[in-house]
Amino acid sequence: MSEKIQVSDNYDIVIVGTGVAGLFAALSISPKYSILMISKDKIKNSDSYLAQGGICTLKEPSDFDSFFEDTLKAGRYENKEDTVRVMIENSPMIMERLIEYGVEFDKSSDGSFEYTREGAHSTYRILHHKDVTGKEITNKLLNNVRERDNITLCEFTKMLDVIIDAGSCKGVVISHNGVSKTVYAKETILATGGIGGLFTHSTNFRHLTGDSFALALRHNIELENINYIQIHPTSLYEKDANRKFLISESVRGEGGLLLNKAGERFVDELLPRDVVTEAIRKQMEIDERPYVMLSIKHLPKEEILRRFPNIYRHCLEVGYDLTVEDIPVTPAQHYLMGGIKVDTYGRTSIANLFAVGETACNGVHGANRLASNSLLESLVFAERAGWIITEEIDNVSLSCPEVDMTKYIDQDAWDNGNRELILNEIKRRDEDFYDKWCNK
C-alpha cells in the first residue's frame, strides 16, 4: 500500500518519526484530530523495526521490586525512580493494548506466554516474537495507524527545523519532494530516534543522525544526559557493513558464550551491557583483533532455529552457520539513554512540544538501559503523551508565524552544522567517551 503524500499547510498534531513511539502516540490521540506523521526514510526504517530481543513486562505483581531494582542497577542508580515506577506499573496494560492491536507473542506448548531473560535481568520477564519482536510490534501498529482516516503518513520527508515563537512550538519546517515548506500545528511530537548515524559503527539506521538534539541546541530546548550513549556488546563483525547487524542480547540470555582468541570464556555474559562491552573492548586489545567470538553451537540446533531464525539466516548469508561454528562480534553504538528532557507525559521545556521514545530523556534508563526496556519505555510514555494532548489540545490555538526560509537553502551546510553541534556537545559533557567511541 502506497503512503499518502499530500502535505497540507497545517494540522492539529505533527509527529516526526514512525517508530513504535510515534505510532503509539498517534493511536493514543483522539481520532477527531488531524495528524501528520513524517519519516525521514521509508516508513518502516526505524530502529524499533530492528529490535530483536523482546519487550519487558511485569508478568506478576510479586516481580515488581525485582524489576524495579534490575532497572536501577543497570542504570547505575541514576534513574528517576518515579518514572521507573510509572513504566513498570503500566506495562501489563501496554501488553493488553498491543495484543488488541494484533501483536503476537511466542507461547509455550501449553498456550501460556513464553518469557526469556537478558543481561542484568534477575528473572524471565521478556515477551518476544521469535527474534523479530520490534518488526512484529511496528508492523501491527502501522497497520492500525493506516486504518485511521485522521492520520496522514508521509515518507522521505525530512524535518529541517522546529518553529518556535514566543516560547511555544508552532510546527515544523520540512523538506518534502525537494521543496522546503512550513507545516503549522497546535502540538508537535518529536519521535526521531537516536544518533547512530553519527557513529562509524552502529546498529542504527544511517539516517538517524540526532536531528532533534541539534535543533534543541539551536533553540535552547533543554537536553539531559546527551552523553549517556549505550554501546551494545555484540554486533556481527563484518568489515564492510554499513549498518552493524545486531546479535541480540537474548542470544546470551539463552546460553551464548563469549570467547577470546584462545577459545576461552572471559566474562559473565549476563552482566549489564556496559560492563560486557568494556570487557570485550579490553579483550580485543589483548587479542589484537577487532572482534571476539560468540558461541551457541552447544545449544540444540532446533532451538537455535526456533528462537533466532532471523539471526541464523543473516549469519548464514554472510558465511557463518550458528549451529556449528562461532561468530565474530564487536561492540557498536546502539542506544541513547539521554535526549530531550521531558516529564512523564513527554512534555519538553517548550510549550506544545513533546518528545517520546529514544529522542526523549525521562530518566527511566539512568546511565545505562536495561535490556528490552526500550520498547516498553517508548510505548508507555508515548501513550501518556497522546492522553495529555487529547486532554489539552482544545485549549491551544493554531498560530502561523513567518519563518525565514533562506537558512535552509543549503541543506548540506545545515546538516553539517547539526552534526557538529551534537558531537561537540557530547565531547563537552564526556571527553573520555568521545575519544573512545566518537573520535574514530
Side-chain angles (χ1 to χ4, degrees):
M1 177 179 177
S2 61
E3 308 299 343
K4 307 170 187 176
I5 60 171
Q6 183 64 40
V7 177
S8 300
D9 293 332
N10 56 75
Y11 293 82
D12 291 315
I13 301 110
V14 169
I15 300 176
V16 187
T18 55
V20 296
L23 294 170
F24 210 59
L27 291 169
S28 301
I29 294 170
S30 170
K32 69 180 181 178
Y33 299 111
S34 61
I35 300 173
L36 171 66
M37 297 190 71
I38 64 172
S39 174
K40 192 176 181 182
D41 203 88
K42 294 180 180 179
I43 293 294
K44 289 185 178 182
N45 282 359
S46 68
D47 279 351
S48 302
Y49 195 81
L50 301 175
Q52 294 175 348
I55 179 170
C56 295
T57 187
L58 182 65
K59 64 179 182 179
E60 54 191 19
S62 62
D63 186 40
F64 184 94
D65 289 345
S66 177
F67 192 171
F68 185 80
E69 175 62 20
D70 288 349
T71 300
L72 264 58
K73 185 177 181 180
R76 302 178 202 150
Y77 296 97
E78 293 189 33
N79 322 63
K80 293 180 182 176
E81 294 189 6
D82 289 346
T83 310
V84 176
R85 288 192 182 92
V86 169
M87 181 188 72
I88 297 174
E89 289 170 352
N90 281 274
S91 62
M93 179 179 61
I94 293 297
M95 299 310 121
E96 290 176 4
R97 285 203 62 191
L98 290 178
I99 292 168
E100 289 173 0
Y101 284 134
V103 173
E104 297 180 8
F105 294 114
D106 291 341
K107 294 182 178 180
S108 302
S109 56
D110 63 1
S112 62
F113 287 116
E114 180 183 75
Y115 296 90
T116 189
R117 65 178 294 199
E118 297 183 9
H121 283 273
S122 57
T123 189
Y124 291 73
R125 63 167 71 93
I126 300 170
L127 290 170
H128 51 85
H129 181 95
K130 297 182 173 59
D131 57 351
V132 288
T133 309
K135 179 180 178 180
E136 169 69 7
I137 294 174
T138 304
N139 278 340
K140 295 300 171 57
L141 294 181
L142 183 56
N143 290 343
N144 282 272
V145 162
R146 283 173 167 153
E147 292 175 358
R148 297 279 185 97
D149 292 335
N150 65 308
I151 301 175
T152 299
L153 285 163
C154 194
E155 57 187 7
F156 298 108
T157 300
K158 181 178 179 181
M159 174 182 65
L160 296 173
D161 208 351
V162 287
I163 302 170
I164 308 295
D165 184 63
S168 176
C169 185
K170 309 299 183 183
V172 293
V173 179
I174 65 172
S175 176
H176 176 60
N177 291 334
V179 177
S180 301
K181 66 171 291 183
T182 54
V183 178
Y184 297 101
K186 294 181 178 181
E187 307 276 15
T188 300
I189 301 176
L190 300 178
T192 54
I195 59 174
L198 302 179
F199 288 74
T200 302
H201 301 293
S202 176
T203 62
N204 295 183
F205 280 111
R206 302 307 300 167
H207 65 275
L208 301 179
T209 51
D211 300 348
S212 290
F213 312 124
L215 299 182
L217 290 165
R218 289 182 185 273
H219 293 284
N220 295 314
I221 301 166
E222 193 169 356
L223 293 174
E224 187 168 34
N225 299 334
I226 195 68
N227 56 299
Y228 282 6
I229 301 165
Q230 188 174 79
I231 307 299
H232 197 286
T234 53
S235 69
L236 184 65
Y237 177 76
E238 298 175 79
K239 190 173 181 179
D240 299 321
N242 186 18
R243 176 179 65 80
K244 296 298 182 183
F245 181 79
L246 180 71
I247 304 297
S248 171
E249 194 153 342
S250 59
V251 172
R252 286 176 282 127
E254 296 290 343
L257 303 175
L258 288 167
L259 308 174
N260 62 18
K261 192 174 184 178
E264 302 164 334
R265 187 180 177 206
F266 61 89
V267 68
D268 178 352
E269 292 82 3
L270 295 182
L271 288 171
R273 285 180 177 176
D274 57 332
V275 179
V276 178
T277 294
E278 186 61 19
I280 292 174
R281 190 186 69 82
K282 290 179 178 178
Q283 190 62 51
M284 290 192 305
E285 290 180 355
I286 294 170
D287 291 346
E288 297 183 334
R289 62 181 188 180
Y291 57 85
V292 296
M293 304 305 289
L294 177 64
S295 178
I296 59 170
K297 63 188 181 186
H298 54 283
L299 300 179
K301 180 175 181 178
E302 60 272 17
E303 183 64 13
I304 294 173
L305 298 180
R306 186 186 71 84
R307 277 291 285 115
F308 308 115
N310 184 56
I311 295 173
Y312 171 78
R313 185 166 50 250
H314 181 87
C315 288
L316 204 60
E317 287 173 355
V318 298
Y320 301 105
D321 186 341
L322 275 174
T323 65
V324 297
E325 61 186 325
D326 304 336
I327 61 170
V329 294
T330 191
Q333 188 279 336
H334 183 59
Y335 193 85
L336 175 67
M337 281 75 65
I340 296 177
K341 186 177 181 180
V342 297
D343 65 10
T344 60
Y345 289 95
R347 288 179 288 215
T348 71
S349 59
I350 298 292
N352 311 120
L353 179 66
F354 293 75
V356 295
E358 193 175 353
T359 307
C361 180
N362 53 40
V364 157
H365 303 306
N368 182 52
R369 175 174 66 83
L370 180 67
S372 288
N373 262 351
S374 55
L375 289 172
L376 175 62
E377 180 268 328
S378 293
L379 295 168
V380 167
F381 297 99
E383 181 177 61
R384 290 168 67 85
W387 288 348
I388 205 68
I389 286 172
T390 297
E391 185 177 309
E392 298 178 350
I393 193 170
D394 287 341
N395 297 320
V396 180
S397 299
L398 184 69
S399 178
C400 305
E402 188 174 346
V403 175
D404 176 13
M405 301 295 287
T406 59
K407 68 180 81 172
Y408 314 114
I409 292 174
D410 188 343
Q411 289 189 22
D412 287 339
W414 181 258
D415 291 343
N416 289 335
N418 285 345
R419 177 188 177 89
E420 187 175 347
L421 277 170
I422 301 168
L423 289 175
N424 285 344
E425 182 65 11
I426 293 170
K427 184 176 182 179
R428 184 183 72 81
R429 296 189 183 217
D430 191 340
E431 191 164 356
D432 288 342
F433 178 89
Y434 178 88
D435 288 340
K436 188 182 294 183
W437 298 106
C438 303
N439 193 23
K440 299 291 184 182

